[in-house]
Amino acid sequence: MIRGLRGPVSVMPEIVEALADRRPVVALESTIIAHGLPRSVAAETARAVEAAVRVGGAVPATIAVLDGRIRIGLSDDDLARLVVDPPVPKLSRRDLPVALAIGGDGATTVAATMICAALAGIRVFATGGLGGVHRGAEHSFDISPDLEELARTGVAVVCSGAKSILDLPKTLEYLETRGVPVLGLGTAIFPAFLVQDSGLPVSHLCPDAEAVARVLRMRWMLDTNGGVVVANPIPTADAISADEMEALLASVLAELADQGITGPAVTPFLLARMAERSQGRTVAANLALIKANAAAAATIAVAYSRRPLEDQIIRRQPPLRLKPLRS
Ligand code: PSU
Ligand code: MN
């Protein structure tokens, strides 16, 4: 049992122990499992991503909602319940309380996974790509709640940037306005998901995991709320070229408009169509980057868990006891 955790939340014993011992833990989301990957590879990918976290020296914590409970750590049977047709609902911040209230199942997006991770005291989270400001948002108002969550919840999200189907300059402007550091892990350029280089700068380059961990400590020393984006480009061997991506996008965006698809259905639709049009190459690239991000997140969680001595001394002091005023 994790101190202070109440309500419909279940955490796997291995994760409870790791958190109690202050060992590194990496949160993983479930929308990629339920909506972002073909069903044939989704469950095995989820396990492979967890394995990458373990190789990096951290404990994986895959997060979803099952039977109206937030579940942190999933069994094989739990995973199988997320890989179904029709898919389980995609849960973002607005949907989470409803799923818990009605006792439903659902896959958590980046935003909802951040909320659940923060509840359990997990500070580092790995995913594929962030949601962002959609193209045409000036008309549709479609801005992913992921960005707002990064502004308010204290979790670092290790990702390969955001998809080029989004409006990336506006996505970065939004993050800047809301005070979210966008750190490039070994890169000065914000990656564009399956494409290595968006041509846009990150806010700061961090040469390694230790440098990221130092920024995280300072971020949460200044304010315990608010997240950090850690952008890790897709490995070179798996990357899709910017030209090829533009061509793919032009066709799938046209189809999106033809079919009148909007709202939360947009991201799953685009991922599925791009996979078809590229004969599965976008899926292979997606798998590669998720695993690479899980490995990078583990090294960051390890670095973050080795807190400097001063920090540990400050935190070991007992909390102040406030006595009631005598009248
Ligand atoms: N980007 C991907 N694959 C995904 C997602 C994003 O390449 O599966 C998922 C993530 O869970 C992200 C969500 O949080 O889509 C964003 O959806 P929306 O734009 O509706 O907020
Ligand atoms: Mn949206």
Side-chain angles (χ1 to χ4, degrees):
M1 174 71 188
I2 296 181
R3 246 187 305 158
L5 257 191
R6 289 206 187 84
V9 186
S10 301
V11 187
M12 261 191 174
E14 182 195 16
I15 300 165
V16 175
E17 283 161 27
L19 290 168
D21 299 347
R22 295 187 166 279
R23 280 184 283 122
V25 176
V26 171
L28 299 163
E29 63 145 308
S30 45
T31 295
I32 31 185
I33 304 170
H35 295 267
L37 292 166
R39 264 186 292 283
S40 56
V41 297
E44 66 187 83
T45 302
R47 284 294 177 238
V49 172
E50 290 183 343
V53 170
R54 286 187 197 280
V55 169
V59 173
T62 304
I63 295 177
V65 172
L66 292 172
D67 303 318
R69 293 186 74 79
I70 294 173
R71 299 282 305 276
I72 301 186
L74 302 178
S75 69
D76 288 342
D77 288 347
D78 296 336
L79 270 181
R81 289 176 59 184
L82 296 175
V83 188
V84 289
D85 189 19
V88 295
K90 170 178 159 186
L91 310 176
S92 197
R93 171 177 273 274
R94 66 159 193 192
D95 314 297
L96 201 48
V98 179
L100 302 182
I102 65 176
D105 293 352
T108 50
T109 64
V110 168
T113 306
M114 288 177 76
I115 296 171
C116 301
L119 268 178
I122 303 170
R123 289 292 201 175
V124 181
F125 161 26
T127 186
L130 274 186
V133 179
H134 282 263
R135 294 188 190 192
E138 58 274 35
H139 302 294
S140 68
F141 274 39
D142 191 352
I143 300 175
S144 173
D146 293 356
L147 301 185
E148 203 50 37
E149 207 58 50
L150 279 158
R152 61 195 285 185
T153 300
V155 173
V157 181
V158 182
C159 60
S160 296
K163 286 175 300 288
S164 25
I165 53 174
L166 298 168
D167 187 326
L168 295 181
K170 287 198 181 72
T171 298
L172 291 173
E173 288 295 348
Y174 196 101
L175 290 168
E176 181 189 354
T177 300
R178 302 293 281 121
V180 180
V182 178
L183 309 179
L185 184 59
T187 178
I189 315 246
F190 190 61
F193 194 52
L194 307 179
V195 178
Q196 276 190 320
D197 177 349
S198 69
L200 301 163
V202 295
S203 64
H204 304 281
L205 183 157
C206 286
D208 54 26
E210 192 53 55
V212 173
R214 281 199 296 276
V215 176
L216 299 185
R217 285 185 201 109
M218 293 303 117
R219 167 65 152 141
W220 294 319
M221 188 272 295
L222 292 167
D223 179 357
T224 51
N225 299 314
V228 173
V229 175
V230 181
N232 184 37
I234 182 171
T236 309
D238 303 292
I240 309 262
S241 76
D243 290 346
E244 188 182 347
M245 183 53 75
E246 271 311 314
L248 262 176
L249 278 181
S251 68
V252 297
L253 287 173
E255 207 178 332
L256 186 78
D258 281 353
Q259 298 199 20
I261 291 167
T262 56
V266 168
T267 299
F269 176 86
L270 290 175
L271 289 169
R273 279 294 184 277
M274 286 188 344
E276 281 169 23
R277 299 267 163 104
S278 69
Q279 284 84 42
R281 282 190 49 238
T282 59
V283 175
N286 200 347
L287 298 183
L289 71 81
I290 299 168
K291 285 180 210 160
N293 293 343
T299 64
I300 291 165
V302 168
Y304 182 74
S305 71
R306 286 197 219 105
R307 286 168 304 133
L309 196 59
E310 321 85 85
D311 190 23
Q312 294 180 28
I313 291 166
I314 292 167
R315 282 176 196 231
R316 280 214 191 110
Q317 285 174 349
L320 288 177
R321 291 273 168 87
L322 294 175
K323 287 188 186 146
L325 285 174
R326 282 195 204 144
S327 54

mmCIF file of all heavy atoms in Angstrom, residues 32 107 164 237 277:
data_model
loop_
_atom_site.group_PDB
_atom_site.id
_atom_site.type_symbol
_atom_site.label_atom_id
_atom_site.label_comp_id
_atom_site.label_asym_id
_atom_site.label_seq_id
_atom_site.Cartn_x
_atom_site.Cartn_y
_atom_site.Cartn_z
ATOM 1 N N ILE A 32 -1.275 3.709 -26.642
ATOM 2 C CA ILE A 32 -0.533 3.108 -27.770
ATOM 3 C C ILE A 32 -0.872 1.622 -27.905
ATOM 4 O O ILE A 32 -0.922 1.109 -29.011
ATOM 5 C CB ILE A 32 1.016 3.293 -27.714
ATOM 6 C CG1 ILE A 32 1.575 3.363 -26.314
ATOM 7 C CG2 ILE A 32 1.467 4.435 -28.512
ATOM 8 C CD1 ILE A 32 3.088 3.674 -26.298
ATOM 9 N N ALA A 107 -8.055 2.908 -21.998
ATOM 10 C CA ALA A 107 -6.624 3.102 -22.217
ATOM 11 C C ALA A 107 -6.304 4.552 -21.889
ATOM 12 O O ALA A 107 -7.037 5.458 -22.286
ATOM 13 C CB ALA A 107 -6.290 2.796 -23.670
ATOM 14 N N SER A 164 4.393 14.841 -37.111
ATOM 15 C CA SER A 164 4.345 15.958 -38.061
ATOM 16 C C SER A 164 2.935 16.156 -38.616
ATOM 17 O O SER A 164 2.699 17.097 -39.359
ATOM 18 C CB SER A 164 5.366 15.753 -39.181
ATOM 19 O OG SER A 164 5.661 14.397 -39.351
ATOM 20 N N ALA A 237 18.519 4.277 -37.857
ATOM 21 C CA ALA A 237 18.243 3.136 -38.746
ATOM 22 C C ALA A 237 16.745 2.957 -39.001
ATOM 23 O O ALA A 237 16.350 2.415 -40.040
ATOM 24 C CB ALA A 237 18.806 1.862 -38.140
ATOM 25 N N ARG A 277 -0.513 2.618 -45.740
ATOM 26 C CA ARG A 277 0.111 3.246 -46.913
ATOM 27 C C ARG A 277 1.618 2.994 -46.985
ATOM 28 O O ARG A 277 2.224 3.119 -48.040
ATOM 29 C CB ARG A 277 -0.108 4.765 -46.879
ATOM 30 C CG ARG A 277 -1.538 5.162 -46.916
ATOM 31 C CD ARG A 277 -1.975 5.422 -48.348
ATOM 32 N NE ARG A 277 -3.424 5.409 -48.412
ATOM 33 C CZ ARG A 277 -4.174 6.503 -48.501
ATOM 34 N NH1 ARG A 277 -3.606 7.677 -48.568
ATOM 35 N NH2 ARG A 277 -5.476 6.401 -48.543
#
